Structure formats: C-alpha cells, structure tokens
Amino acid sequence: MLVSRWLARQELPARRVVPGKKQESCRAEGEMTALYRNPRLWQHGGMVAPAPKAEENVPFVLASGEVLTATVRRSARSRRPRLSLSPRGALALVIPAAWPSARLGELVPAFLPWLERAWPRFAASRPKPALPEKIALPLAGRELSVVAGGDFAAGRAASAGAASLVRLGAGSRRVLLLEHGENLRLFGATDDLALCGHALQRWCRGMATRLLPPHLESLGRAHGFAPPRVAVRDQRSRWGSCSRGRAGAAEPHIQLNWRALLLPPPLLDHLCFHELCHLRHMDHSPAYRAELARVSPDWARLERGLSRAWRELPFWALPQDAPAAS
C-alpha cells in the first residue's frame, strides 16, 4: 500500500525510443521499467497480467480445394516471414513480431506455390498411425519387442518384476508400460495409439537421459573438448542445440533430443560432434565447418543423413503434446 502511494507521487521521465537503435536498460536512477510505469498494471493488491492474445491463423486454399490452416507465430528474432510444415502436418507461419495482422493475407500468394508442391509430397510420405513391432536402440545394442499385455489390472499385477515402468492417463483411459527383459509390454488402453506412443516416448526419453550424456562426454574428451553440461530434452524441430548461456555464465551446455537414441552410431556421433564444435564456434562459419571436418570428415553427407532421419521418424516418435503421468 505504502509503496504504491509512493510510486503514484513520482514524476518519472519518459524514455525516448529511437527506431532501429537498441534501447538501454531501465536501470538509471529515477527510471523504472515500462511495466511499473503503466498505471493499469500497478494496482493495490498486486500486478495484473495482460490478457492473452487471440490465436492468429491464416488459411491456404490449394488448387484441389483442400483448405490448410497455418498457425501464426510472432518472433522477435525473425527478419522475414517463413512457412514450415511439421512431420505431423502442422503448418506454422513465423513472422516478425511487428508484422501487422492486416497484412497476413498478403503472404498467401508468396507461399502457396511452395505449399502446392510440399503438401502432396508430405501426404504421400507421412507415417501411418501404428505402433512399432520393435524399437532399436543402437547405442545400447538392444532391440526390444513392443507387445500388448492385457488390461490395466493385469499390468499392475505384473509390475513387480519390471525393470522400469511408465504410467500415463488421459481422462478415463490409462496405459501402463512395463520393461521385461527385451520386451516393452503395454497394458490398458492399447487401442489408443497416441497414448501408447506417448508411453513409448516417455520410456525412450528415460533411456536417453542415462545413455546420451556419457556418450557425448566420452567423444568430447577423446577429441580435446572441455566437458560441457549435457541435458536431454524433447525438442520438436531439431536434434540438439548448444548454448553458452547468459552473459557471465562460464559453463556452456548442450541439449540433445531424446530421439537421437534412435539414430545409427555414425549419425549419433556426428550429431555429438556438431554440437561440440559449437563450443568453439557459436555459428556455422567457415571456421566452424573446418573444426567439424577435423572431427567428422564426412560431415556433409552425415548432415544430410540427419535431415533425412528427422523426416523419416516413425509415427510413435513424432513430436506432439504429451499427456500428464497418472
């Protein structure tokens, strides 16, 4: 209460905004951030969060009459609009943050020719909704069979002898995955392909968390790279990433997609080298490519192999919103 009254009495100078010039931080004496200068956000009883913006969509009408809808995503880093098609067929139109909504329709003619070519190729090659008979983990030297084990009660009875388990629930439907030897047994709503696929993803991510970081660290030590922090994530559009963190953070870190566990050894090793080389060059400059060629001489072919492997991910491993564990 006292703080808000004090703030109301202050006469704060307005900041001068120069277009195209990076703005300085509001840390000078007598200044406050724009958040606190807005009287509608500073009220007795706490700050009020802005209302979420409505989702923007752009329809594309193909020559066949089929209508495809792209979800608009605004990005402060984007310099020009771009349209992307995910492995599951979701269209995303990424535009600069300041792009006017009234001009979204102008982008349709620019991207429609590409979409007319890309969509038939995607429709012909999209993975069929089905669970795998086997899952190969080349890094672990394992190939596990995926089998339906019965109802959820039978799964609970069999869980005592399982090496690991995953339990997921979506509403009244539940799935229990048990690892028994070289079998992954699914119990419960085994007719729900999406839910069973989520359970398989959850199990694979657990395996990747145990296996991928030591593998990358071993390759790094063998080729003279300082060991970074390594984490396993569920990235939706890339195999991995490397970051030096915020200014002042001394320790860089690498994130690997859990799906890298499904890669054959040559592609997995190259992915690790790709990210390790970013520890020395945080770009894809000629210096970076020279460093990559030193540790992965066939890097150009392997880069194409990684792109192809992403396009050929099976249905159950495709990125999607996962249900919560029950």
Side-chain angles (χ1 to χ4, degrees):
M1 182 73 73
L2 294 177
V3 174
S4 59
R5 290 177 178 173
W6 178 84
L7 289 173
R9 292 197 301 265
Q10 306 308 303
E11 295 182 2
L12 303 177
R15 293 173 63 199
R16 186 168 62 93
V17 179
V18 180
K21 181 179 179 181
K22 185 177 179 181
Q23 303 303 307
E24 297 179 355
S25 173
C26 298
R27 298 298 182 187
E29 183 179 355
E31 285 194 294
M32 300 180 61
T33 62
L35 176 65
Y36 294 104
R37 289 208 312 273
N38 188 337
R40 291 175 299 174
L41 295 181
W42 184 268
Q43 301 177 4
H44 300 292
M47 286 183 291
V48 178
K53 294 183 178 180
E55 184 178 86
E56 295 178 290
N57 297 293
V58 175
F60 289 83
V61 182
L62 303 184
S64 62
E66 186 175 5
V67 180
L68 305 176
T69 301
T71 300
V72 175
R73 295 208 319 262
R74 296 182 178 272
S75 170
R77 300 175 59 185
S78 177
R79 295 184 178 180
R80 60 184 64 87
R82 65 182 187 275
L83 184 67
S84 64
L85 180 61
S86 78
R88 281 192 173 271
L91 282 172
L93 180 60
V94 182
I95 60 175
W99 190 275
S101 297
R103 294 185 56 197
L104 289 175
E106 301 175 10
L107 301 176
V108 173
F111 290 113
L112 194 55
W114 172 84
L115 192 55
E116 290 279 9
R117 298 189 302 270
W119 185 254
R121 290 198 301 266
F122 166 79
S125 62
R126 77 170 77 185
K128 296 180 180 179
L131 294 179
E133 295 182 359
K134 294 181 179 294
I135 293 179
L137 306 180
L139 180 60
R142 301 179 66 184
E143 186 177 65
L144 297 96
S145 299
V146 179
V147 296
D151 60 21
F152 200 83
R156 282 200 300 261
S159 62
S164 62
L165 65 84
V166 173
R167 183 169 56 239
L168 293 179
S172 60
R173 300 178 67 79
R174 294 179 296 173
V175 162
L176 179 64
L177 181 150
L178 302 179
E179 177 189 354
H180 282 134
E182 297 304 295
N183 292 319
L184 296 177
R185 304 175 64 193
L186 291 165
F187 298 86
T190 54
D191 60 328
D192 191 327
L193 298 183
L195 192 58
C196 290
H198 287 313
L200 293 172
Q201 288 194 18
R202 188 73 61 87
W203 181 84
C204 283
R205 182 170 176 176
M207 292 293 295
T209 300
R210 294 193 293 271
L211 297 174
L212 290 179
H215 182 69
L216 183 142
E217 292 164 0
S218 176
L219 287 175
R221 286 193 298 270
H223 291 81
F225 291 95
R229 290 189 296 115
V230 185
V232 173
R233 297 286 185 263
D234 184 23
Q235 289 128 313
R236 303 176 71 89
S237 61
R238 61 181 65 187
W239 285 112
S241 62
C242 178
S243 174
R244 287 179 179 169
R246 298 176 180 176
E251 188 179 11
H253 61 275
I254 288 175
Q255 296 184 358
L256 294 177
N257 195 316
W258 68 261
R259 296 169 182 85
L261 189 65
L262 308 176
L263 292 172
L267 289 182
L268 175 58
D269 288 354
H270 173 72
L271 170 63
C272 294
F273 287 135
H274 180 110
E275 302 304 339
L276 285 167
C277 288
H278 278 310
L279 298 175
R280 297 176 179 173
H281 304 280
M282 292 296 293
D283 52 27
H284 292 93
S285 62
Y288 167 82
R289 292 195 295 270
E291 181 68 23
L292 184 58
R294 181 183 70 84
V295 293
S296 184
D298 201 13
W299 66 271
R301 181 182 65 84
L302 294 170
E303 289 283 334
R304 293 192 296 270
L306 285 176
S307 298
R308 183 170 57 252
W310 185 267
R311 294 193 301 268
E312 295 174 354
L313 283 172
F315 168 81
W316 67 270
L318 293 178
Q320 55 184 307
D321 295 329
S326 63

